[in-house]
Amino acid sequence: MTTSDNTTGPWDASGLHSVGRLPMRALRRTPDIELDGVWDFQLLPTPTAPLGLDWKKVQVPSLWTMREELAEGDVPHYTNVPMPFDEVPPQVPAHNPTGVYRRVIQLSPVAGHRTILHVGAASGLLRVVVNNRPIGNSSDSHLAAEFDITEAVVPGTNRIDLRVAKWSSASYLEDQDHWWQSGLTRPVFLCTVPDIALADVSAVADYDPETGLGNLQVNVFTAGLDHLYEVDWSVRIEVLGQSLTHPVSARLATRTLPKPSLDRSTRPEPQLPPDFMDLISINAAGAPVPPEFRAIPATMTKLPDPAAPAGCAAFTLGDLGVAPWSAETPHLEDLVVQLLAPDGSVADETRIRIGFRRVRVEGRDLLVNGKRILVQGVARHDVEPRTGRVMSRERHLAELSLLKRFNVNAIRSSHYPNDPQVLDLCDEIGFYVVDEADVEGHAFASTIADDPRYLSEIVERVSRMVLRDRNHPSVISWSLGNETGYGSAHDAAAGWLRRFDPTRPLHYEGAVSTDWHAGHAVSDLLCPMYPAFASLEGYSADPRADRPLITCEYAFSMGNGTGGLSDYWKLFESLPGLQGGFIWQFADHSLDRDGDGKLRYGGDFGDETHNGPMLANGVVFPDLTPKPALFEARGVFSPVRIVSDAAEALAGTLRIRNRQTFADLGAYTLELRVETPTGPTDAVAVPTPALAAGDEDTIEIPATLRKPLDAQSALALTLTVRTRHTALWADAGTEVAAEQVVLPYAPEPLPRTPARSAALPVDATGALRHPLLRRSPQLSLWRALTCHDKSFSLDNRFVRSGFFRLTPVDVEVKETGDGAVVTTRYAAAFGDEVVHRRTVTVLDDGDWVLAEQVSLPEDTQDGLRVGMEFELVDGFGDAGWTGLGPWENYPDRRASALLGAWNSPIEELAVPYILPQENGTRGEVTALRLTGPAGTVHTTHPTPLHMNVGRHSVDELETAEHWWELAPSEKTVVHLDIAHRGLGTAVLGPDTHPRHRLPGSEYAWEWRLTLKSAD
């Protein structure tokens, strides 16, 4: 094929104007010929480069950037804000890799039918060529493009070329915080439809919460009939046991003024009152009607109502007895739509699942079915570590099932429309969706929305999303896009959308980002990003506040983060005008392109410029393993909350509240158990009260639990919530929440009297000596910095302290009758003095009580940790502790952690954040036991400490750039901290609350260390 052959025909190189693409529709066709599978492939340097002779094999759908042998250096490229090239809109880079996908198929076209090519999504600018005949082109990397190829196909052998150019002028609208990738990402297929067929269906299923009845408006559009003045076709719908048939509307003759009569043979009789035409404008103006006009019939001056579109049929069904749809009760009904030929035969048919529900904004409340909901949401991107953006239904189901099991009830389709399968599952499983248009011009956000060259493309991206997704009950709001500033294109898109679909509120953060009281023209919701707690409190109390606040992004979850989630929810659940939001974000975007298990981030493929590990900001890892942050969300979002205290529990009762908005607790079973230092009691099932949404009730604690509950050693009473029935997203008996009442508990005081005379274990350096100790317990003030610790907004606060390096400058050891006092003076990295004084009481060989006193510089404003670090010899494999668990927790991310006795292999205590950093800490620990072939190490601390046990030192964690770079290790590094800083979300959002910071300069505590070698 020559260069000219590769560029002839309809072609818009900018990507801002589609050619030959069919209108978007909600109606979906079943494939007649599925084209997923093996295609021939070439990668060209530019869209106009000639094809070569060498073809490679590639799977469709797939991304060539995820196949090193195909990519020829065109690797995944991660940027957050900047474009990955230097050009400015609407310029297109000269180097523009273009993938050519070729498939030869056999067809037998049927007379009277159209052949439609469906390309589910192409990441880049798509051009379609069939049998050397140019068909058309399309941009918008996350919506399907369909083309009528009837005139190009022939009986027998046919060749389809799909050419995807990586860059176009439209690329500036797809500048999302994600990998830049290229290829075909969703299914490709052919379908055949009759020349006269269903074109689209719109179903508005409204639910009136006052009457409890539903209303259904169905508009059916046809193809091939709208040019006829007489139509004898009809449409039949079947829904809710009813069957209705309406004729398809015909084309109406264009109305115009009658021509004056030229007949003068007879005197014409008067037909019209004098000046009657004036009455049209008088009525329109609402002006008084003059007496002489009052006798004129209204029909003579009434302008005709807008006619129904030709080729359509409209159905209205009222006062329907229906069960409403909500995320808690996702009840769906089947709607069958049939196009009937004049002889009554079914010429075409489709089926749609609909849900009756009403979404309204009233004042400062977003209402679903008349009730104020709480949005327990996450922002979701398409990402899969091995395939990039190519997602299977199995992956979609796994994601949504996981989120449902963790009590998430809402998804923001950041920052583009998701695969239709996602919305189908959201309808069925039950999620509220903010459906977002594929519009993000982040790098040029200050200008692109006012650039007239981008006006039509922005509006079209919004409108095509709405046309495709309007029948989904899960979609409760339309988003005009993300981080594209605010310009005239948004006003245009919002104007169209408000007219076309008045049933859903609009969402757009760019219009409110600098003024929470602005942007009403395009956003019915106040949807800020990463708000400070004070800003939420201020908005709630502001008399100007007139919209519900639902954060479009908050609780930034990069690395070890999401600190303060429960603080957010204390505000969301208690202050007017606040209704939750969307955690940023669901899954880490790290890729495993090579299949070696080594997750990679920006820059790891040689991509420049890049934003490094910024994309590792999900509450699950790329393989969907939940991070501790998701367990925190699970508890905060629990459908059941304990609202009583320890005194009531000890008296034999537990009071709970149903946090749901619509459903009772019938979908769940409840269990109780008592946590003790030796482990939990057996769980006892308790009856689930018939508790309506929002109500409270009391549970009687079973007699079998009263005795262990009354014991002095009892730690907590745990209520476990499980699913009662098997559903698409969970088996019966799946745990979805665990709540606790913490009981008064006083650990035994440390002993003071030695059991027998023992050797002093302290050497001249002040170190404790024992065969199991590779490093003696020593002062530790530093943790491996988290992503948030390193945030620019914290202005190197922790490095400035110098606590990352402590150099002993003087050690004084004084023996006492039963031990020693060791005073160590350290110089921090920049010369500040830190003093650690330890009093050692020897109880027995390898059994010591250690009283610690730490004095930091008086001007210390903040820190990371204050505690002890020691290292054991090889040969320890398991840990058991009494404290918060079982998952990692920190002072500002432990609302969902449970107090109890826990056990874990030491390797599993670590959380393998893709960028190594502080991880694996557990709080409120009063006892720790480490065991293995080498022996046993036991610590007790009446004042609870923060515990961290792992295989790597702080220095090793800080040095490594990927978790997989950490060498396997048998050593055991132990941290026991009297104070440990919270996590916060300072990369984007507020730092940890001041109560979780370390401003003090004096610390004191005691603990017991007991070591026993196996031999």
Side-chain angles (χ1 to χ4, degrees), residues 520-844:
H520 290 75
V522 299
S523 193
D524 302 308
L525 307 176
L526 178 61
C527 43
M529 290 183 176
Y530 311 112
F533 301 118
S535 68
L536 297 174
E537 293 168 329
Y539 180 80
S540 178
D542 195 321
R544 297 173 297 166
D546 57 0
R547 287 174 289 186
L549 187 152
I550 298 170
T551 64
C552 70
E553 296 175 20
Y554 79 112
F556 193 74
S557 297
M558 183 179 182
N560 192 357
T562 330
L565 182 66
S566 62
D567 290 330
Y568 273 116
W569 275 87
K570 288 176 184 176
L571 300 180
F572 293 152
E573 293 192 85
S574 64
L575 295 181
L578 310 184
Q579 284 186 251
F582 298 89
I583 294 172
W584 187 265
Q585 66 172 314
F586 173 49
D588 283 350
H589 290 190
S590 298
L591 298 177
D592 181 17
R593 185 185 68 168
D594 301 330
D596 56 8
K598 296 179 177 180
L599 294 166
R600 293 167 169 85
Y601 49 73
D604 285 342
F605 299 104
D607 45 316
E608 293 289 348
T609 305
H610 63 82
N611 289 98
M614 188 81 171
L615 50 64
N617 51 22
V619 291
V620 302
F621 288 103
D623 66 355
L624 302 186
T625 298
K627 295 182 184 178
L630 187 58
F631 282 95
E632 179 80 346
R634 186 187 79 162
V636 172
F637 298 163
S638 169
V640 177
R641 181 80 75 237
I642 296 175
V643 293
S644 55
D645 58 15
E648 292 177 67
L650 293 173
T653 62
L654 189 70
R655 192 162 184 81
I656 64 172
R657 182 173 72 245
N658 180 356
R659 284 189 65 252
Q660 299 178 110
T661 305
F662 301 100
D664 62 24
L665 293 184
Y668 302 107
T669 62
L670 305 179
E671 297 173 354
L672 289 173
R673 69 174 186 263
V674 177
E675 309 290 347
T676 77
T678 58
T681 65
D682 290 338
V684 177
V686 295
T688 303
L691 190 54
D695 286 352
E696 298 180 3
D697 202 354
T698 298
I699 296 173
E700 296 291 330
I701 297 174
T704 53
L705 294 179
R706 295 294 299 275
K707 183 176 180 180
L709 189 65
D710 290 337
Q712 284 190 332
S713 60
L715 301 172
L717 178 67
T718 302
L719 172 71
T720 303
V721 184
R722 300 183 184 276
T723 55
R724 185 181 300 275
H725 308 291
T726 294
L728 179 62
W729 52 275
D731 291 332
T734 298
E735 181 179 313
V736 296
E739 293 277 310
Q740 276 192 330
V741 174
V742 176
L743 302 171
Y745 171 67
E748 293 184 9
L750 297 177
R752 301 295 178 183
T753 305
R756 64 183 179 86
S757 178
L760 183 66
V762 180
D763 65 18
T765 68
L768 295 167
R769 301 186 307 270
H770 190 277
L772 294 181
L773 287 174
R774 181 171 288 157
R775 283 192 291 120
S776 169
Q778 60 189 20
L779 179 64
S780 176
L781 302 178
W782 194 255
R783 69 186 183 193
L785 293 180
T786 68
C787 301
H788 304 279
D789 294 338
K790 294 183 281 190
S791 169
F792 80 96
S793 66
L794 297 188
D795 191 29
N796 285 308
R797 177 184 308 173
F798 307 115
V799 173
R800 232 178 9 256
S801 73
F803 292 162
F804 57 88
R805 185 170 64 246
L806 298 177
T807 304
V809 295
D810 180 69
V811 179
E812 179 182 72
V813 179
K814 290 185 178 181
E815 293 189 23
T816 63
D818 55 4
V821 175
V822 180
T823 302
T824 306
R825 298 181 183 277
Y826 295 93
F830 304 117
D832 299 286
E833 184 179 69
V834 175
V835 180
H836 172 216
R837 180 174 290 105
R838 168 180 289 152
T839 300
V840 181
T841 300
V842 180
L843 302 178
D844 204 338

Side-chain angles (χ1 to χ4, degrees), residues 862-873:
D862 200 358
L864 294 168
R865 72 172 0 136
V866 178
M868 295 296 132
E869 176 191 22
F870 59 95
E871 183 179 331
L872 303 176
V873 298

Side-chain angles (χ1 to χ4, degrees), residues 193-223:
V193 299
D195 287 344
I196 299 176
L198 296 172
D200 205 359
V201 177
S202 167
V204 178
D206 180 52
Y207 178 78
D208 186 342
E210 296 296 325
T211 64
L213 299 174
N215 297 283
L216 179 62
Q217 178 69 46
V218 180
N219 291 316
V220 181
F221 304 88
T222 66

